[in-house]
Amino acid sequence: MNQLAEQMFCVEGPRLSLKRCAWTIHADRHQIILHEQTHAPNNNLTDLLDFLPVGSASSWTVLREGAFVQSVTIAVSELVQAGEGGHLICITPGTEQTLSAAVSDYQQLRFASAISHISDLILSDDTEKVYREMVNIVGKALEMERCSVYEVNDTQGYLKEKFEWVDQESDPSRTSSLVSYPLKKFKNATEYFRKEKKWLVSHKNQPLPLLVQDGSWQLLHEEMDLGSIYAFPFHFRPGKYLLLIAHRHQELHRLSPEELEFVEAVIKQVSISLNQSERENKYRFLSENSTDVVLLLDLHGRYKYISQAAKEVYGYEPDELLGREVFEFVHPDDAADLHALFAEKRAEQVPFMKRYRRRRKDGTYVWMEYTVKMVYRNRRLVGVQAAGRDITERKRVEEALVVAKEQAEALAKTKEMFLSTMSHEIRTPLNAVIGFVHLLLDENPRPDQRDTLNALQFSAKQLYQLLNDILDLNKIDAGKIALESIAFKFQPLLEGLEKSFVLRAKQKSIALRTDIDPALPEVVQGDPVRLMQILTNLLSNAIKFTEQGSVTLRAQVEEETDTHVWIRFSVIDTGIGIPADKRDAIFESFTQASPDIARRFAGTGLGLAITKKLIQLQGGDIAVESVEGQGSTFSFNLKMEKGHPDQVQENEAKATVDLTGVRLLVAEDNEINREVVGRFLSKWHIKADYALNGQEAVDMWEQPDVAYDLLLMDLHMPHCDGFEAAAKIRALERQEARASIPIVAFTASASSAVQEKILQAGMDDFIPKPFKPVELYNVIAKHIRPQTTTERPPMPSQINFSNLVEISNDDPVFLVSLVHMYIKALRQFEKEIREALLMASHDRVREVSHRHWGTLLSLEVEALIKLVESSKQQVKDPNYDSYQATALVNRIAELVGEMIRELQTHLPDDQESLER
């Protein structure tokens, strides 16, 4: 549009309207006079149209205040849409010679307006209206006399007119339909349309493409007096398609490329509507026959459609819901969340799922689970589609399961607490009984006294074994038992087993034999403690139920590779045997083959249940073969990794180490246990002081005039327990830069959780109650160097300092700088991780560990790395408490302090003092 038009008109979509400018028309002179608005009248658009007939174009002269502005051509046309009653005006500089350009301009505007109108109708979901407007718009735009949409069934050979438009000014006798014309006469044309899917034009007395030349078209021109026929096929389906036909009578009518493009664009838009309509019809059919509630919402959340299932689920007839907002029925507690979810998913085309409560007609609520998808057409969001099902019963079951799970967890926790408490209460006096028996047996009692003491010791050990069995079974059932994987020598383990049972076998006058495959590897990788427990249970049972004959322990290699070995273990006896119908039951907890066996041989029936579960934990299974009255064979297979003798750790101290002069602090509130421990310590020439609770132990440790070599700490004491006391001591050691004292816990609880808690509290080791004297001796010897009893032995190197040397490229100046940097980084890490752990923030712990991970890895301190990894998991635990936080902080601080002290040893003397 040129300058004049910009002054006179403004564009509103595809239309033009008059702007508020002053102008006067001199029709006789074909002049338009522009004025200043302050003193000239305003003409309106109707005034101009009075002198511009529709469909015409004429030249006008534009003047302003008597001066020539320019010559223009003004062309006027009706809007294409039916019922609009508007006009399009195109103003082009120049005279009639530029009329073609003017016509082209407003024609393009008309076409764009028509296509936009069709697009708007498609969004209305009214397919019939789309058809009517299609033939109306195309017929008018192409200036045809008749425009129709036909359904062509090329299988059954008929042509059915669906919608038509006829020019009102045409002679009705010349605008008849083509329905009566036989379709078989256009066989070539129908094949052409089906194959090429292109439009076809036929002019009177003009040749057609070779593919459709059969004479039928020219015959049609003659019989119906048609000048030009345009046929546009679309919406192809098996056996049928649609055909848009526009024609004029008598004279030829050639369409321009722009007009043909316009028709194809209209057909494309209509095809979109038809495809959408078919999909919706299928969708409605499926939804009406579905038990799910299927619905469509508009952009305001109003029901446009809802399936018949709504009556059964909601109690409403579908018609009662149409036009009402979905949020009217949503539970108030769920509405805000649903609004937020719709706003979040508005721009996404990926289906999502949502559960919420929906009100029924009777006022009750049902839980619904909807699969929801945003509906787009022509890249515009037009609504929401969803399918939902009633999950009220499922929700009730889920909630019941949650309650049951919580109750089960609470029961398990109560059970664990009960077992832990009972374990402590039973083990504490049992510890005194076994300890005093040991002491009395060491004092050369008379033969009659020795028999009594042996019976007492046997009974105490039986009670101790029963307690261990119950705790082991509980740990296995709770999934809290952890298997070790360490290198151990196979032959000594089996020899030790044989020695343990040889006396019992001799007492019953039965032979105890071993059959060990010489091909067994010298060293294997596994859990020697659990393997001993399994074989001990089987050998104990075999000797118990064998009155004569023999018991044999056999170990054979069944299969072997370069890295692994499959070993079959068997325990064979000539005992009472097991009835065939009881062979599965004996592996159940608290079960024996018969009540008579329980009375004759005693026992709890736990041994085989624990044995089977321990074997299964290691990837094996146990089998039994037995003949009643002749004996039984219990066998199982284990896959074990081969080891090397160098991997075996010979770090258990022997009871031959001289502990004379060692000084211990013992924290124990039970007087009898203090007496038992004191007797053994005195026997080993160890000096001991005693504290009655944790706080007293801390106070005694702080005395400057006494230096203790080791602290034996009971865990359960009044006022201040062993965990808290150990944490206080470790904190004081860091503050005062004192050497760490070894702390060994006395614990009546053997659970892995308690053991882990002991180590996290900064303690170095633990001894279970009741303790064996050799175990107590060995653990003291393990943590004490007798030749330097007043000082803690130097810590082994923890840091891989060679990494720092490599990073510094052997530059001593840079290496010193690097050490300073690492010391600073470690201190910063210790500060940040302390804050994060005490805040109980998992995200913060993860962030801090991630930031300092490179420092920890480059120093290769495995203990600290594992502790940091463990802390990340513990913080996520819902039961994480301030005690655990304090224990973790103390342990990390202790390790970081040791690393810093080790780094300081690599600094020059003057700089080392500065770093301290």
Side-chain angles (χ1 to χ4, degrees):
M1 187 163 301
N2 58 23
Q3 182 180 5
L4 174 64
E6 290 175 358
Q7 294 178 16
M8 294 177 63
F9 303 98
C10 64
V11 179
E12 297 176 351
R15 302 176 180 83
L16 297 174
S17 63
L18 186 65
K19 289 177 69 175
R20 298 187 63 81
C21 65
W23 51 287
T24 306
I25 298 172
H26 291 277
D28 54 338
R29 291 175 288 181
H30 267 220
Q31 290 181 345
I32 298 176
I33 310 298
L34 301 180
H35 306 283
E36 296 297 330
Q37 283 186 320
T38 54
H39 63 272
N42 285 335
N43 288 84
N44 57 42
L45 187 57
T46 306
D47 296 329
L48 181 59
L49 291 176
D50 288 342
F51 306 102
L52 297 171
V54 175
S56 69
S58 56
S59 296
W60 291 71
T61 302
V62 181
L63 303 173
R64 178 183 282 115
E65 305 301 334
F68 173 80
V69 177
Q70 66 183 118
S71 295
V72 296
T73 297
I74 301 178
V76 180
S77 174
E78 284 186 326
L79 282 172
V80 175
Q81 295 99 303
E84 291 285 349
H87 298 81
L88 293 173
I89 300 176
C90 188
I91 303 176
T92 306
T95 57
E96 284 89 342
Q97 286 75 18
T98 62
L99 178 59
S100 61
V103 171
S104 177
D105 284 348
Y106 76 77
Q107 187 182 59
Q108 291 297 324
L109 196 58
R110 292 167 64 214
F111 290 166
S113 173
I115 294 172
S116 175
H117 181 57
I118 286 287
S119 298
D120 290 340
L121 287 177
I122 288 173
L123 296 179
S124 72
D125 292 330
D126 189 339
T127 306
E128 290 192 4
K129 188 173 183 181
V130 171
Y131 276 127
R132 288 194 298 270
E133 290 298 296
M134 176 187 186
V135 295
N136 193 343
I137 288 171
V138 172
K140 283 186 176 183
L142 303 186
E143 299 179 357
M144 294 293 182
E145 291 181 344
R146 185 185 184 92
C147 184
S148 302
V149 172
Y150 297 88
E151 181 183 291
V152 180
N153 191 313
D154 49 10
T155 302
Q156 299 180 10
Y158 69 77
L159 193 69
K160 177 182 177 182
E161 188 172 42
K162 295 177 69 70
F163 298 93
E164 65 172 352
W165 169 85
V166 179
D167 185 4
Q168 300 299 318
E169 298 180 1
S170 300
D171 183 354
S173 64
R174 298 167 51 192
T175 56
S176 58
S177 171
L178 301 180
V179 172
S180 59
Y181 208 78
L183 185 61
K184 61 183 180 180
K185 292 187 177 182
F186 301 99
K187 182 179 180 182
N188 289 356
T190 56
E191 290 177 355
Y192 173 81
F193 290 142
R194 174 69 66 180
K195 181 179 180 182
E196 301 295 331
K197 295 182 174 55
K198 293 181 179 179
W199 57 269
L200 183 66
V201 60
S202 175
H203 298 297
K204 191 173 184 178
N205 300 323
Q206 298 284 331
L208 285 165
L210 292 175
L211 288 174
V212 294
Q213 284 183 2
D214 56 8
S216 301
W217 290 89
Q218 291 305 320
L219 187 62
L220 181 63
H221 282 287
E222 293 172 4
E223 291 182 1
M224 301 187 69
D225 193 21
L226 299 179
S228 295
I229 306 173
Y230 286 87
F232 299 87
F234 65 101
H235 198 57
F236 289 89
R237 292 294 181 269
K240 59 184 179 180
Y241 58 90
L242 298 179
L243 193 63
L244 174 68
I245 295 181
H247 55 79
R248 287 184 66 87
H249 288 74
Q250 294 185 340
E251 71 271 13
L252 300 183
H253 185 67
R254 299 185 183 277
L255 299 182
S256 67
E258 290 79 13
E259 290 172 319
L260 292 170
E261 288 178 4
F262 162 68
V263 178
E264 289 181 327
V266 171
I267 287 176
K268 182 178 180 180
Q269 292 294 319
V270 173
S271 296
I272 291 173
S273 175
L274 292 173
N275 291 334
Q276 180 67 25
S277 177
E278 287 184 353
R279 285 195 295 268
E280 289 182 359
N281 287 338
K282 292 178 182 177
Y283 179 77
R284 286 174 187 268
F285 173 79
L286 293 173
S287 66
E288 293 301 334
N289 291 278
S290 171
T291 57
D292 285 358
V293 178
V294 182
L295 58 87
L296 291 172
L297 305 176
D298 64 17
L299 292 178
H300 301 286
R302 294 186 294 255
Y303 287 104
K304 291 175 61 180
Y305 166 78
I306 188 165
S307 64
Q308 287 294 327
K311 179 173 178 56
E312 182 178 348
V313 178
Y314 299 152
Y316 285 96
E317 292 289 346
D319 290 345
E320 294 181 82
L321 296 173
L322 296 181
R324 298 175 70 175
E325 288 193 15
V326 67
F327 288 99
E328 177 185 341
F329 304 95
V330 177
H331 193 284
D333 293 344
D334 300 335
D337 183 45
L338 193 60
H339 268 295
L341 184 65
F342 274 18
E344 175 189 345
K345 301 292 186 180
R346 187 180 179 89
E348 299 180 11
Q349 298 190 43
V350 179
F352 61 92
M353 191 168 288
K354 177 61 182 172
R355 292 180 175 186
Y356 65 89
R357 286 162 289 182
R358 205 269 190 198
R359 191 178 73 247
R360 291 172 45 85
K361 192 171 184 177
D362 61 7
T364 60
Y365 283 88
V366 291
W367 272 101
M368 298 295 296
E369 181 180 72
Y370 271 102
T371 301
V372 186
K373 183 180 180 182
M374 299 298 174
V375 180
Y376 282 81
R377 292 186 192 164
N378 297 335
R379 297 186 295 277
R380 289 173 60 186
L381 179 63
V382 296
V384 179
Q385 168 185 309
R389 58 215 57 86
D390 182 352
I391 60 165
T392 305
E393 181 60 21
R394 191 205 310 175
K395 194 73 176 174
R396 186 192 64 77
V397 172
E398 288 175 355
E399 290 173 352
L401 287 174
V402 169
V403 172
K405 179 175 179 291
E406 291 173 350
Q407 290 175 343
E409 289 174 347
L411 183 62
K413 195 167 185 178
T414 302
K415 177 183 175 184
E416 185 176 351
M417 290 177 63
F418 169 77
L419 288 172
S420 177
T421 302
M422 292 307 298
S423 172
H424 176 76
E425 295 301 324
I426 295 173
R427 284 175 187 266
T428 297
L430 195 58
N431 179 58
V433 172
I434 293 175
F436 277 124
V437 169
H438 268 290
L439 289 170
L440 291 172
L441 285 170
D442 286 345
E443 293 178 357
N444 296 319
R446 298 192 313 268
D448 60 321
Q449 292 174 330
R450 183 174 292 278
D451 290 343
T452 302
L453 290 172
N454 283 335
L456 179 60
Q457 187 181 55
F458 178 80
S459 298
K461 287 183 176 179
Q462 288 290 100
L463 181 58
Y464 178 57
Q465 185 58 47
L466 171 62
L467 184 60
N468 285 342
D469 284 347
I470 293 173
L471 293 174
D472 275 346
L473 188 64
N474 179 63
K475 284 191 290 183
I476 293 171
D477 289 341
K480 292 184 177 180
I481 196 161
L483 296 174
E484 281 189 307
S485 181
I486 61 173
F488 66 94
K489 291 183 178 180
F490 207 78
Q491 193 68 26
L493 182 143
L494 297 179
E495 290 174 355
L497 271 173
E498 184 181 12
K499 290 177 182 178
S500 299
F501 286 97
V502 68
L503 182 60
R504 287 179 57 187
K506 282 183 178 180
Q507 289 173 343
K508 297 189 71 173
S509 299
I510 59 176
L512 178 62
R513 303 188 181 101
T514 57
D515 181 9
I516 310 302
D517 192 339
L520 283 172
E522 179 185 358
V523 177
V524 292
Q525 194 89 10
D527 192 330
V529 174
R530 295 303 176 187
L531 180 59
M532 280 280 287
Q533 186 177 355
I534 292 167
L535 294 174
T536 297
N537 280 342
L538 294 177
L539 284 170
S540 179
N541 278 349
I543 293 173
K544 181 195 295 187
F545 296 116
T546 301
E547 299 296 337
Q548 59 183 3
S550 64
V551 171
T552 302
L553 170 62
R554 179 175 295 159
Q556 295 174 305
V557 174
E558 286 210 328
E559 188 178 342
E560 188 174 7
T561 66
D562 292 339
T563 58
H564 290 82
V565 60
W566 284 258
I567 304 174
R568 184 172 186 81
F569 297 90
S570 301
V571 175
I572 308 161
D573 67 62
T574 58
I576 61 174
I578 305 167
D581 60 341
K582 299 294 184 181
R583 289 175 194 166
D584 291 332
I586 60 173
F587 294 106
E588 297 175 6
S589 301
F590 305 102
T591 302
Q592 292 193 346
S594 71
D596 178 62
I597 290 175
R599 286 192 298 270
R600 286 172 57 196
F601 297 98
T604 60
L606 287 175
L608 286 178
I610 294 171
T611 296
K612 180 177 181 178
K613 292 181 179 183
L614 287 175
I615 291 170
Q616 290 174 336
L617 279 175
Q618 299 178 73
D621 205 356
I622 189 169
V624 59
E625 298 175 3
S626 183
V627 176
E628 196 171 359
Q630 296 182 22
S632 305
T633 299
F634 288 83
S635 57
F636 62 95
N637 284 39
L638 288 183
K639 176 185 176 183
M640 307 187 85
E641 186 180 350
K642 291 182 178 180
H644 191 274
D646 294 341
Q647 296 175 296
V648 179
Q649 297 179 355
E650 303 281 3
N651 49 4
E652 279 201 3
K654 305 299 181 183
T656 56
V657 176
D658 184 9
L659 297 179
T660 302
V662 171
R663 188 157 191 172
L664 266 59
L665 175 59
V666 180
E668 170 64 73
D669 64 316
N670 185 285
E671 183 178 359
I672 297 176
N673 281 341
R674 288 200 305 272
E675 178 69 19
V676 173
V677 172
R679 291 279 192 96
F680 284 111
L681 296 180
S682 177
K683 183 179 178 180
W684 300 328
H685 308 291
I686 295 175
K687 296 178 182 179
D689 294 328
Y690 298 91
L692 303 185
N693 57 60
Q695 186 57 53
E696 190 174 322
V698 175
D699 295 338
M700 294 175 67
W701 170 82
E702 280 195 288
Q703 294 176 8
D705 54 338
V706 181
Y708 295 105
D709 300 301
L710 184 141
L711 200 163
L712 287 176
M713 182 84 74
D714 185 35
L715 296 182
H716 297 278
M717 295 182 289
H719 308 305
C720 175
D721 64 21
F723 295 111
E724 188 178 350
K728 287 181 178 182
I729 289 172
R730 294 303 185 214
L732 288 169
E733 285 174 344
R734 288 191 298 274
Q735 292 174 12
E736 301 170 9
R738 295 175 60 172
S740 293
I741 182 174
I743 302 177
V744 176
F746 267 135
T747 174
S749 175
S751 72
S752 57
V754 172
Q755 293 174 16
E756 186 176 352
K757 211 171 179 181
I758 288 169
L759 298 177
Q760 288 173 358
M763 299 187 224
D764 300 274
D765 214 332
F766 64 91
I767 299 174
K769 290 181 182 179
F771 66 86
K772 296 177 181 178
V774 68
E775 290 177 349
L776 177 60
Y777 192 100
N778 284 342
V779 80
I780 295 172
K782 176 181 174 182
H783 293 282
I784 293 297
R785 298 286 180 89
Q787 66 273 23
T788 55
T789 54
T790 56
E791 293 182 11
R792 181 106 186 254
M795 288 291 295
S797 175
Q798 297 192 63
I799 295 172
N800 189 347
F801 196 75
S802 60
N803 282 351
L804 302 190
V805 175
E806 184 177 347
I807 294 171
S808 68
N809 199 23
D810 289 329
D811 183 346
V813 177
F814 180 50
L815 180 59
V816 169
S817 175
L818 202 59
V819 170
H820 283 295
M821 291 166 56
Y822 271 88
I823 291 174
K824 183 178 179 181
L826 286 171
R827 284 175 174 158
Q828 185 65 26
F829 163 73
E830 195 269 336
K831 176 184 175 183
E832 291 177 3
I833 200 73
R834 177 194 288 117
E835 294 172 353
L837 289 170
L838 293 177
M839 288 166 53
S841 169
H842 174 254
D843 290 341
R844 179 64 177 152
V845 170
R846 186 174 57 186
E847 176 191 342
V848 171
S849 60
H850 178 72
R851 186 184 313 121
H852 294 278
W853 200 241
T855 301
L856 303 183
L857 288 179
S858 61
L859 294 175
E860 294 186 6
V861 183
E862 186 177 353
L864 183 57
I865 291 172
K866 287 183 177 179
L867 189 58
V868 172
E869 286 293 325
S870 173
S871 69
K872 288 193 286 187
Q873 297 303 317
Q874 291 184 54
V875 173
K876 290 195 297 185
D877 191 331
N879 298 320
Y880 179 81
D881 55 23
S882 58
Y883 170 75
Q884 286 177 280
T886 304
L888 285 171
V889 165
N890 291 339
R891 184 60 181 150
I892 290 174
E894 180 184 359
L895 288 173
V896 170
E898 291 173 359
M899 292 167 64
I900 290 175
R901 286 192 289 274
E902 185 174 342
L903 284 171
Q904 288 168 343
T905 64
H906 295 279
L907 292 173
D909 292 343
D910 55 336
Q911 295 193 28
E912 183 178 354
S913 61
L914 289 175
E915 276 295 345
R916 293 186 189 281

